[in-house]
Amino acid sequence: MKPISELLRSLAAGEISIEQAEQSLASREIEAIDGATVDRGRKARCGFGEVIYGEGKPADLIVRVAEKLLELSPSVLVTRLAAEVFAEIQVPHWQMHYSPQARTLRIARTAEALAVVDESSSPLRPIAVVTAGSTDAAVAEEVAETLTWMRVPFRVLTDIGVAGPQRLLASLPALEGCAAAVVVAGMEGALPSVVAGHVPYPVIAVPTSVGYGASLGGITALLSMLTSCASNVSVVNIDAGFKGGYVAGLIACGQQVPPQSDGE
């Protein structure tokens, strides 16, 4: 990163614009508060603001960090937040959506910023959120809540695992036209490879801890997905719905569909 003096010289020489200088300065911003250091520049650097990992954090710290982040973004995402901690978060001027299944909290200044994005009105191609079994739903919900926070549309396909392959075949039309798929599976973790063999886009595989003894809390699914023969499969950590959703959201944002003219 350039020193500020060099940045100012580049601005004075006309080598960069005021907007570029502003973005560079914003990306340096951090703010220390009691118990945390808030990364105020992450949105400028990475496109999306800092996400609060809620597990182990007291409610008052989450509130103070979120207040700082809401100064920069219309909404904030908190992950792995226990219901009893959420019950302690009472801020009258906030709009909030808590998902007990995903253990996520979305906070915004307006109700509009909390709404799920309508695929028909979005310039982005949707993400397919696919589960192998109903017991993978909590992780898939974390994927969906992450995509909602990122303002990325998505389609949910549930319970189409490899034990009943005809279910996937019946769902193939819904997989068309997507930017990527997030496939959530436990047990032997085979579904991402099967989905990847039918689609022309990236598949983000999310192993879950669902399964009997030899599934080893998701390690079997993780290793199976890592050794996938399908070329378009990438893998995130066990039960990491946020990570799968975030990567898929970045892919969708990088494939923005150009707006059509009024005459077309």
Side-chain angles (χ1 to χ4, degrees):
M1 186 178 292
K2 291 182 178 180
I4 292 179
S5 58
E6 186 176 343
L7 179 70
L8 294 175
R9 279 194 290 269
S10 297
L11 178 62
E15 298 170 354
I16 60 173
S17 65
I18 292 175
E19 290 74 20
Q20 289 172 317
E22 184 179 34
Q23 183 178 33
S24 180
L25 289 170
S27 69
R28 302 164 186 265
E29 292 184 7
I30 59 172
E31 182 173 350
I33 63 175
D34 186 22
T37 301
V38 181
D39 185 355
R40 295 173 56 89
R42 190 171 304 187
K43 184 175 182 180
R45 297 193 314 272
C46 304
F48 291 92
E50 186 173 15
V51 173
I52 302 171
Y53 182 71
E55 197 159 47
K57 290 186 175 70
D60 70 295
L61 178 58
I62 291 170
V63 168
R64 287 186 287 112
V65 173
E67 286 279 18
K68 294 297 181 182
L69 294 175
L70 283 172
E71 294 174 3
L72 305 164
S73 299
S75 64
V76 172
L77 176 65
V78 185
T79 65
R80 301 301 167 98
L81 182 66
E84 56 269 25
V85 179
F86 166 64
E88 297 177 25
I89 298 175
Q90 303 294 331
V91 182
H93 61 277
W94 281 359
Q95 302 288 326
M96 295 189 290
H97 174 80
Y98 180 69
S99 168
Q101 186 176 38
R103 293 185 296 154
T104 56
L105 173 64
R106 289 185 286 112
I107 305 167
R109 294 189 294 265
T110 65
E112 290 77 13
L114 290 182
V116 177
V117 175
D118 186 350
E119 181 182 333
S120 64
S121 60
S122 174
L124 306 179
R125 294 185 177 93
I127 298 298
V129 181
V130 183
T131 66
S134 301
T135 47
D136 300 311
V139 177
E141 181 69 9
E142 189 178 41
V143 175
E145 286 294 310
T146 301
L147 291 169
T148 300
W149 169 70
M150 298 176 78
R151 312 302 296 159
V152 174
F154 57 89
R155 305 170 184 173
V156 178
L157 293 80
T158 58
D159 196 21
I160 58 172
V162 297
Q166 71 279 5
R167 297 176 298 182
L168 173 59
L169 295 178
S171 301
L172 289 180
L175 293 171
E176 295 178 358
C178 294
V182 182
V183 181
V184 183
M187 299 290 188
E188 80 281 25
L191 185 61
S193 295
V194 181
V195 170
H198 286 89
V199 298
Y201 47 70
V203 171
I204 297 96
V206 184
T208 71
S209 50
V210 171
Y212 296 104
S215 66
L216 302 175
I219 293 175
T220 297
L222 172 65
L223 295 177
S224 176
M225 294 172 181
L226 286 170
T227 53
S228 171
C229 187
S231 304
N232 48 336
V233 173
S234 293
V235 188
V236 297
N237 208 344
I238 298 168
D239 292 336
F242 162 71
K243 291 293 183 66
Y246 192 89
V247 171
L250 291 178
I251 292 170
C253 291
Q255 296 181 3
Q256 184 164 337
V257 180
Q260 294 184 342
S261 69
D262 294 337
E264 294 182 354

